Each structure stands twice: as C-alpha cells, then as structure tokens.
Amino acid sequence: MVRPRERTATLPAPTLTDLEPVNRESTAAIIARQLREAIMNGSLPPGTQLGETELAGQFEVSRGPLREAMQRLVSEGLLRSERHRGLFVIDLEPEDVRDIYAARLAIEREAVLRVLRGDPERVADLLAEAVRDMAAATDGAQVGEADIRFHETLVAASESKRLQRMARTLLIETRMCLSALRRTYSSDEERVTEHKRITEAIRIGDEDAALTLLEAHMDDAVRRLAPGSTLRSPAVSRPQT
C-alpha cells in the first residue's frame, strides 16, 4: 500500500512588517557623521588634510572603520583624494558656489510657486518663526541654523518629496557656505531683513516680488562668496522690486 505523500508546511515569505528595525549605528557611520558635522560647522575648514593615524587615535578605533567612514565622505563629495598625499576637505571654488546656489534657486523657486498655490499665510507664519530665531541669535552658529531652517521650511511646505530630497543633498555644502558667508555681512540684521522680505511677499501672495527677492537673496550670496560671479544673466534678469 502506497502512503500518500505528506505535505510539508510552507512558511509565508517575510513581509516588510515582519522585519525588525536595526537600531545600532555602525562605527563607520558614527565616524562619518562626526566628520560630516565638523566639516559643516567649520571645525574642519576647506583644505584641511585628514591624517589616518591622528584620527584613528582621536576616535580610538582601528583604521578599517575610519577608512570606510572617510570613503563615504569622498563619495558624498566632501573629501577629495590626492594621490600619494591623502584626503582633504574639499575647497569650494567660485564655480562650485555658483553651482550650489543655482541648484538651490531652481528648487526653492518651484517651492515658492507651490506654496503660493496653497496656503501662503500659514507658511509665512512658519517662516516668520525662523526669522525671529535668526534675529534673536547670539552667535554665528545659531544664525546659520535659523537660516537653514528657514529654507528647509520653505521647501518642506511645497509638499514635494523630490524637491525635499534634492534640497537635502545640498544641505552640507550650503552649511559650508554659510560659515563663510556670515563674515561678509556687517551685521546679522542684513540677513534677517532679506529673509523677512521674502516672508512678507509670500504672506501677501505676491509671486513676482517673492521670486525676485529669492533670486536676489541667492545672487547676493554668490557675489559675497565668489566676487565676480553672479547667478544672473543680463538677458534673463528679473526686474527689481
């Protein structure tokens, strides 16, 4: 007598809801984050050479995770490798500065247009909070953080995931620029005024004024950071308000 073949129970394939979150950050990721922050806040200024021996001793790690962390920053464009010399924090050349702000202008211009089609008063209230924090700041780091938050808030208010994702990729280089930018203003009040004007133009729904002020704000930063450079082309320059 032939016995019927026994069926083997098939376990269901795991779904995303079955996967457990990984909370531990790798050593390389921690080192990369700390180096990234040091580059952003100016503790590791442009052109600084990173020595493996010194950093490994400072972090109290072997060279393996340190090298992995540094390669992450190379791939992010924050470190450059020079043959037979080592790794250096990138220098932002005038063309780099112009490129960063041209990309930011394209993203934030579209964000403004989307905000104006939605609830500009609500967004203006959020932007005004960042402006107030900028005015109340007592040091350059606080001014820079409020400045970044203003522009992050503007892009987030567009409710476009892609605009937000593109803006995030420019965040670190923008922070590097802001560190140098602050030294070009006679007072922080100038920066506060620029952001306040953009906020008020958005509040009243004045598209031409908001876009013109935003472009002027970005162009002014380029002129300050890279004298002789500009975002504007005479053929396409917007009228001033």
Side-chain angles (χ1 to χ4, degrees), residues 1 20 24 30 39 41-42 67 74 79 99 127-129 168 170 174 178 189 196 207 215 229:
M1 177 177 168
E20 302 236 347
R24 289 190 61 188
I30 294 170
I39 293 170
N41 64 31
R67 286 174 178 166
V74 169
L79 297 180
D99 201 35
L127 295 174
E129 287 182 23
R168 277 195 297 271
L170 295 166
T174 297
L178 289 179
E189 183 58 34
K196 190 180 293 183
E207 180 181 307
E215 181 180 338
S229 298

Side-chain angles (χ1 to χ4, degrees), residues 200-215:
E200 290 312 307
I202 289 173
R203 185 182 300 282
I204 64 176
D206 189 333
E207 180 181 307
D208 284 341
L211 295 179
T212 298
L213 288 166
L214 179 66
E215 181 180 338

Side-chain angles (χ1 to χ4, degrees), residues 214-224 229-232:
L214 179 66
E215 181 180 338
H217 176 59
M218 299 290 188
D219 188 62
D220 180 63
V222 171
R223 290 174 186 270
R224 289 173 181 271
S229 298
T230 178
L231 285 179
R232 293 175 173 169

Side-chain angles (χ1 to χ4, degrees), residues 8-232:
T8 10
T10 306
L11 296 175
T15 64
L16 288 178
T17 54
D18 298 321
L19 302 178
E20 302 236 347
V22 177
N23 294 320
R24 289 190 61 188
E25 193 176 13
S26 71
T27 302
I30 294 170
I31 296 171
R33 174 167 49 77
Q34 291 192 35
L35 289 176
R36 196 181 293 115
E37 288 171 358
I39 293 170
M40 287 192 297
N41 64 31
S43 299
L44 287 174
T48 301
Q49 183 173 12
L50 302 186
E52 277 189 15
T53 304
E54 295 82 357
L55 284 175
Q58 194 169 346
F59 284 116
E60 299 182 354
V61 297
S62 65
R63 294 194 182 191
L66 176 63
R67 286 174 178 166
E68 182 183 339
M70 293 165 82
Q71 284 306 311
R72 290 188 188 195
L73 299 189
V74 169
S75 66
E76 291 176 13
L78 295 178
L79 297 180
R80 71 175 192 277
S81 177
E82 292 190 13
R83 190 174 177 81
H84 304 308
R85 292 195 64 205
L87 295 174
F88 297 78
V89 178
I90 60 164
D91 293 289
L92 292 177
E93 302 295 337
E95 186 53 39
D96 295 318
V97 172
R98 187 181 183 282
D99 201 35
I100 291 165
Y101 280 89
R104 284 188 57 197
L105 178 59
I107 292 167
E108 294 187 33
R109 187 180 187 281
E110 178 61 25
V112 167
L113 292 174
R114 294 185 182 213
V115 163
L116 293 177
R117 292 198 293 266
D119 187 353
E121 276 199 66
R122 180 187 65 81
V123 175
D125 287 340
L126 297 174
L127 295 174
E129 287 182 23
V131 174
R132 283 193 294 272
D133 288 345
M134 198 182 301
T138 56
D139 59 48
Q142 291 178 357
V143 173
E145 285 304 315
D147 191 330
I148 287 286
R149 192 163 67 256
F150 178 96
H151 293 280
E152 284 180 327
T153 299
L154 175 60
V155 177
S158 71
E159 299 183 350
S160 166
K161 294 178 181 178
R162 288 170 180 80
L163 288 180
Q164 292 177 69
R165 186 165 64 240
M166 288 187 289
R168 277 195 297 271
T169 65
L170 295 166
L171 179 62
I172 298 173
E173 291 175 313
T174 297
R175 285 180 185 270
M176 293 175 69
C177 291
L178 289 179
S179 179
L181 186 62
R182 185 172 187 265
R183 297 192 292 269
T184 70
Y185 284 94
S186 57
S187 75
D188 290 327
E189 183 58 34
E190 293 179 68
R191 289 171 76 176
V192 173
T193 300
E194 288 180 12
H195 290 83
K196 190 180 293 183
R197 287 175 176 166
I198 295 170
T199 300
E200 290 312 307
I202 289 173
R203 185 182 300 282
I204 64 176
D206 189 333
E207 180 181 307
D208 284 341
L211 295 179
T212 298
L213 288 166
L214 179 66
E215 181 180 338
H217 176 59
M218 299 290 188
D219 188 62
D220 180 63
V222 171
R223 290 174 186 270
R224 289 173 181 271
L225 291 167
S229 298
T230 178
L231 285 179
R232 293 175 173 169

